[in-house]
Amino acid sequence: MPGTPKPSRKPERPQFSSGPCAKPPGWSPQWLDGALVGRSHRSPQGRDEIAALIGSLKRLLELPDGYHLGIVPGSDTGAFEMAMWQLLGARGVDVLAWEVFGKTWVRDIVDELRITDVRRLEAEFGHLPDLSKADFTRDVVFTANGTTSGVRVPNFDWIAPDRTGLTLCDATLAVLAHEIDWSRIDLATFSWQKCLGGEAAHGVLILSPRAVARIESYTPPWPIPKLMRFARDGRRDEALFTGTTINTPSMLCVRDCARAVAWAESAGGLRGLMARAQRNAGLVHAWLARSPWAANLAVDPATWSETSVCIVFRDQAFMALPAGDQRASAIAMARLLEDEGVAFDIAAHRGAPPGLRIWTGPTVNDADIEALLPWLDWAFHLVRGARMKS
């Protein structure tokens, strides 16, 4: 790639981080005007605002009747930990893992909850485990879309409709970007900092009627800290799903998310958001197909993420470098692009193979993706040249 010219056009919004993610187009601090600051979230006005946001999120997600949604602490990680601590242990567990966060759930189930009847269905970065091996007489824990590998489940048809166990789904990169068959999901979590461009520290917990039945029929043998409880006296904590919260939320963040939901509705609702993510990811996937140096970490096109596209090197000279040098090169590319004001925070996750990670979720404009791609070629050319001389 000798002589790669420096592009003249830059993305108008260079926020391509995979979390927190780009704010919705048109966002400004004025979106926060009227936020209930200096007031209690337990006041009638506070409860009304939280309840209204819960209702608008349920409508945007097109949740079926009988499904419950609550706002909880700790972002998606906190929400999913709550789910595991509250629901698991009644029967054996199959846990599927193919990237960093899925492997975290494996570790916590085995080492923290100390459940002994656990089957690990694992795969290397870039691949899915064999989904057909999941046993739905057991509880099944999985990530819908791997944040750090860019590998997603292609659909939810592999989940048995007549299952007797529960399905617990970390859906934070899939919600509002991929089609979700809610009839196959008993517990889902996500963070509004992803596909809605909200702020950090708040998670969303979704319960199906089957998950509620588990709460009412099973009490875990371990103590559950207050911060992780969504059951009370052997029943679902109704208040948590109708406008109260476990601890103090940021009412600024509540207002910000409410405005983001309003933007999402104006952008075509759920279908409009999915179309935006698909268009953005499609631009990167098409570029990767043409690139002489970059490849999708996800091997099977059916599993390509449409929100977090993970890029690895396929340039032979780079592939011959030690992994540490490859990672240093990827970090150098990311810093170079950040210094140019072209892309922020696009180095691969520290636990993933060396490379780059581009957020293509629905709050990103496709014109900014188009503007970014030539800069990736330019940065690679500069870093490769410097690396080959050293």
Side-chain angles (χ1 to χ4, degrees):
M1 298 176 56
T4 300
K6 185 175 184 178
S8 58
R9 176 189 169 201
K10 295 183 178 182
E12 291 186 7
R13 298 195 307 153
Q15 287 81 17
F16 298 104
S17 164
S18 290
C21 302
K23 305 298 287 182
W27 184 90
S28 77
Q30 281 67 49
W31 279 29
L32 305 178
D33 288 352
L36 197 71
V37 295
R39 293 288 310 278
S40 173
H41 60 292
R42 297 186 182 92
S43 67
Q45 295 88 342
R47 290 197 302 270
D48 287 348
E49 285 208 14
I50 295 169
L53 179 55
I54 287 172
S56 65
L57 284 169
K58 290 175 71 173
R59 289 189 295 273
L60 179 62
L61 292 167
E62 300 180 5
L63 289 183
D65 291 342
Y67 278 61
H68 306 278
L69 183 149
I71 297 168
V72 299
S75 197
D76 177 66
T77 302
F80 204 71
E81 289 285 0
M82 291 175 66
M84 293 194 296
W85 283 68
Q86 189 77 64
L87 296 176
L88 294 183
R91 58 181 66 211
V93 179
D94 281 6
V95 55
L96 286 66
W98 58 91
E99 52 89 49
V100 171
F101 288 96
K103 294 179 187 296
T104 297
W105 309 144
V106 172
R107 184 177 64 247
D108 287 357
I109 290 168
V110 173
D111 295 340
E112 303 300 331
L113 297 180
R114 300 184 182 181
I115 296 173
T116 55
D117 185 6
V118 178
R119 295 199 314 155
R120 310 181 193 199
L121 306 178
E122 299 185 79
E124 297 299 319
F125 275 91
H127 300 270
L128 276 179
D130 186 348
L131 301 179
S132 69
K133 291 184 177 179
D135 180 355
F136 292 99
T137 65
R138 302 160 63 83
D139 291 336
V140 177
V141 175
F142 71 100
T143 304
N145 186 346
T147 307
T148 61
S149 70
V151 175
R152 67 180 176 98
V153 294
N155 54 54
F156 297 86
D157 296 346
W158 55 281
I159 298 174
D162 58 349
R163 62 195 176 277
T164 52
L166 297 182
T167 52
L168 279 67
C169 177
D170 172 359
T172 197
L173 263 71
V175 164
L176 302 175
H178 299 145
E179 189 80 43
I180 296 178
D181 182 350
W182 290 106
S183 71
R184 313 282 177 126
I185 303 298
D186 297 310
L187 180 289
T189 63
F190 72 96
S191 170
W192 61 42
Q193 67 166 309
K194 300 293 187 180
C195 286
L196 284 172
E199 292 303 301
H202 299 76
V204 178
L205 186 74
I206 299 170
L207 300 178
S208 76
R210 298 183 76 251
V212 173
R214 170 69 62 83
I215 292 170
E216 295 175 348
S217 64
Y218 167 70
T219 300
W222 43 76
I224 301 177
K226 175 186 176 182
L227 202 62
M228 301 174 72
R229 292 184 209 138
F230 54 90
R232 185 187 297 271
D233 299 324
R235 302 188 64 82
R236 172 180 61 89
D237 186 352
E238 175 71 20
L240 179 60
F241 300 90
T242 55
T244 66
T245 54
I246 294 172
N247 68 338
T248 306
S250 164
M251 297 307 291
L252 280 172
C253 293
V254 168
R255 174 57 59 91
D256 185 61
C257 187
R259 288 296 303 268
V261 171
W263 166 81
E265 295 290 3
S266 72
L270 178 60
R271 308 300 154 185
L273 297 188
M274 289 193 296
R276 287 177 62 90
Q278 290 164 5
R279 185 164 57 248
N280 290 339
L283 291 169
V284 182
H285 295 154
W287 171 81
L288 285 169
R290 302 188 301 269
S291 175
W293 65 268
N296 200 321
L297 174 57
V299 174
D300 182 353
T303 70
W304 287 353
S305 173
E306 291 170 340
T307 48
S308 188
V309 181
C310 296
I311 298 170
V312 292
F313 299 114
R314 67 176 171 189
D315 177 85
Q316 292 299 316
F318 257 53
M319 292 174 66
L321 294 172
D325 289 347
Q326 291 188 42
R327 188 172 301 280
S329 297
I331 291 172
M333 287 180 63
R335 287 176 177 166
L336 187 60
L337 293 169
E338 184 166 339
D339 290 344
E340 291 287 341
V342 168
F344 299 142
D345 312 315
I346 65 168
H349 188 278
R350 62 186 180 277
L356 304 173
R357 181 170 56 160
I358 311 298
W359 179 253
T360 57
T363 58
V364 175
N365 287 330
D366 55 0
D368 288 330
I369 296 286
E370 291 174 335
L372 168 67
L373 298 174
W375 284 94
L376 299 181
D377 290 326
W378 173 80
F380 174 78
H381 169 69
L382 286 188
V383 171
R384 184 184 189 279
R387 176 65 63 180
M388 295 304 108
K389 290 177 182 177
S390 63

